[in-house]
Amino acid sequence: MKLHSESFPDQGVIPERNAFARVDPQTHVTLAGNRNPHLAWSDVPDGTRSFAVLCVDPDVPTRPDDVNQEGREVPADLPRTDFFHWVLVDVSPDTRAIAEGDYSNGITPRGKAGPLALDGTRQGLNDYTGWFASDRDMNGDYFGYDGPCPPWNDALVHRYVFTVYALDVAELGVSGRFTGAQALEAMRGHVLAQASLTGTYTLNPRLHAL
């Protein structure tokens, strides 16, 4: 399989219109466009009965001590963990592209509804669900796509890996408020092929200036 995006090139910078937040000189960050990027794929294997789409940031700090703290920076060598930004399953086997903005266009406080979504697809919870759990104004179930919002003081430029999976099942064996980890587990033994592309993003003004 091959995967490309008209929103950004592989290994390129994700535009602010596809991000959850952008740099603000006064407040460090402010909300951004939060449109899901365009994705298109080809060379699909025979026997494909559905597709799944995941977006994962593998560069999220494992300790919050320095995150978004004035006068401090999250060290680049801090151990990192995965953060799911998009979990989309049951995409029709006839689909070869997702248009920019079809699944997300702007910020939805407390999260978008789910799991049922466009054209019979289903979306799982992304990890903003846990991130905002204790925020009085933003807590809720965040289904579907919500874009990059790395710590504004992180010394590491974050990567966002978009992967499309061709599956041999028409409906993935997950239900309700399913997560990215649960979707991956349900895919085991059902992946015929997959393709990925990676975008980068930072909110650290020091890295923007490089």
Side-chain angles (χ1 to χ4, degrees):
M1 283 179 68
K2 296 177 181 177
L3 176 64
H4 78 278
S5 175
E6 294 174 357
S7 302
F8 58 90
D10 188 31
Q11 306 301 323
V13 176
I14 294 174
E16 291 179 351
R17 69 178 186 272
N18 303 124
F20 193 90
R22 59 181 175 84
V23 173
D24 183 280
Q26 278 71 49
T27 61
H28 295 298
V29 299
T30 190
L31 299 179
N34 204 43
R35 293 166 61 88
N36 69 271
H38 164 269
L39 296 174
W41 53 93
S42 58
D43 296 351
V44 173
D46 292 340
T48 298
R49 299 182 64 197
S50 71
F51 297 100
V53 179
L54 297 182
C55 174
V56 179
D57 172 2
D59 297 318
V60 171
T62 52
R63 291 204 316 272
D65 310 39
D66 299 313
V67 170
N68 297 338
Q69 297 295 314
E70 294 284 355
R72 296 157 75 176
E73 191 170 75
V74 180
D77 61 357
L78 183 74
R80 306 289 169 144
T81 191
D82 289 344
F83 187 106
F84 286 90
H85 282 264
W86 197 7
V87 185
L88 173 65
V89 303
D90 300 350
V91 178
S92 166
D94 299 323
T95 300
R96 294 295 181 272
I98 292 172
E100 180 173 304
D102 264 5
Y103 284 87
S104 179
N105 186 9
I107 305 292
T108 305
R110 301 188 185 279
K112 290 181 284 295
L116 297 180
L118 187 69
D119 297 329
T121 60
R122 291 183 296 150
Q123 299 193 105
L125 295 173
N126 68 53
D127 283 335
Y128 282 111
T129 303
W131 179 258
F132 286 127
S134 60
D135 187 311
R136 184 181 62 185
D137 299 318
M138 294 290 284
N139 68 79
D141 286 343
Y142 282 73
F143 287 94
Y145 178 82
D146 285 297
C149 184
W152 52 257
N153 64 339
D154 201 334
L156 190 68
V157 174
H158 284 221
R159 298 163 294 160
Y160 298 84
V161 183
F162 292 81
T163 304
V164 175
Y165 301 85
L167 305 177
D168 65 2
V169 290
E171 184 173 316
L172 195 63
V174 288
S175 61
R177 300 169 68 258
F178 64 91
T179 65
Q182 289 169 335
L184 278 174
E185 178 62 26
M187 283 185 224
R188 290 181 61 182
H190 296 290
V191 178
L192 300 174
Q194 65 189 72
S196 298
L197 66 85
T198 300
T200 64
Y201 201 75
T202 180
L203 292 171
N204 189 329
R206 180 179 68 79
L207 299 181
H208 269 276
L210 293 179

